[in-house]
Amino acid sequence: MAGCDEPEYDYGDFLEVIAVYEGAGVDGSGSVFAYQARNDSPVVTLHSSSMISGVRKGERVLLRYTVVDDLSGEEKKIRVDGVSRIVCDVLRQVDGSVYDVLDSTPIDMTSIWRSGNYINVYCWVPYAGPKFQMLLVADLSTLDEAVPALRLVYGILEGEPSFERKCYASFDITNLWQRETCRGVRIYADDVDGEKVYEFNKI
């Protein structure tokens, strides 16, 4: 779990985004990250001279960085100020009988957005320790509909929550989003203020 404000929010000297770690640079040194801000915006590639450890190639992370040289609108040289792991998962599928009885602890939704084939979430969650579950689940019976139904599920696996913590999550919905029948997705979330519904449609 990790947290910050929304991607591309400028605090002054640095920026924070959800980015994919692409591995080392072409010469085998430094590190490369890539991200899409929202929807189908262009992919921005970020080059750093810093080597990154503890992160796998292809993993999505929270990247805090400072632009050192603006090479173009889609390519920049950066200084890495911090890298944090986030909740990453693929879209899960369950049949309607399971989907209808999913048990989810309410969370405080702050922001939800799509970037390419990913649904990203920033929220506050009741925290009881490192063992928890956050899933994006699809109702199998709706997958062939123009706008399938999905549910964001948060579960505390053990302990009693003693405080709330920021949480970032990113879910790969490629297999659903690229279906010819899919024109969008509708996401239900159990918020502390009641159920909230978010819809993302193909542009």
Side-chain angles (χ1 to χ4, degrees):
M1 294 183 65
C4 67
D5 214 335
E6 289 188 30
E8 278 293 297
Y9 187 90
D10 189 347
Y11 288 88
D13 293 332
F14 62 85
L15 297 165
E16 285 181 323
V17 295
I18 291 183
V20 176
Y21 175 55
E22 300 285 3
V26 291
D27 60 355
S29 65
S31 54
V32 180
F33 298 87
Y35 77 94
Q36 284 179 278
R38 287 182 181 272
N39 300 322
D40 298 307
S41 60
V43 175
V44 178
T45 303
L46 308 172
H47 302 272
S48 170
S49 60
S50 302
M51 298 295 291
I52 303 299
S53 60
V55 180
R56 301 183 309 276
K57 183 177 180 179
E59 186 174 355
R60 289 174 71 75
V61 297
L62 274 181
L63 173 67
R64 175 182 290 180
Y65 68 96
T66 302
V67 176
V68 174
D69 191 359
D70 199 348
L71 303 176
S72 71
E74 283 85 46
E75 194 166 10
K76 306 176 190 300
K77 287 186 178 180
I78 65 166
R79 181 187 73 229
V80 174
D81 298 318
V83 175
S84 301
R85 285 183 162 171
I86 63 173
V87 175
C88 293
D89 199 10
V90 297
L91 177 67
R92 308 298 182 101
Q93 301 175 15
V94 297
D95 64 39
S97 62
V98 175
Y99 181 87
D100 291 339
V101 296
L102 286 171
D103 184 22
S104 182
T105 300
I107 59 179
D108 190 356
M109 295 289 292
T110 300
S111 183
I112 182 169
W113 69 100
R114 180 179 69 84
S115 55
N117 293 326
Y118 292 89
I119 294 294
N120 309 292
V121 177
Y122 167 43
C123 60
W124 289 81
V125 300
Y127 188 70
K131 292 187 177 181
F132 66 92
Q133 190 175 57
M134 180 170 275
L135 306 170
L136 187 62
V137 179
D139 181 349
L140 194 60
S141 66
T142 72
L143 293 186
D144 291 327
E145 295 179 4
V147 183
L150 316 181
R151 183 172 296 280
L152 183 64
V153 177
Y154 176 74
I156 299 169
L157 299 182
E158 63 179 27
E160 291 294 329
S162 55
F163 62 95
E164 287 191 338
R165 183 173 176 177
K166 288 181 181 180
C167 179
Y168 250 134
S170 188
F171 302 96
D172 186 347
I173 63 168
T174 302
N175 289 342
L176 175 59
W177 193 255
Q178 292 185 350
R179 284 190 176 211
E180 290 187 8
T181 56
C182 181
R183 306 312 308 158
V185 293
R186 185 175 297 113
I187 300 172
Y188 297 84
D190 294 321
D191 187 83
V192 292
D193 293 325
E195 185 177 70
K196 290 188 176 179
V197 183
Y198 307 89
E199 190 162 321
F200 300 93
N201 296 309
K202 290 186 177 179
I203 298 172

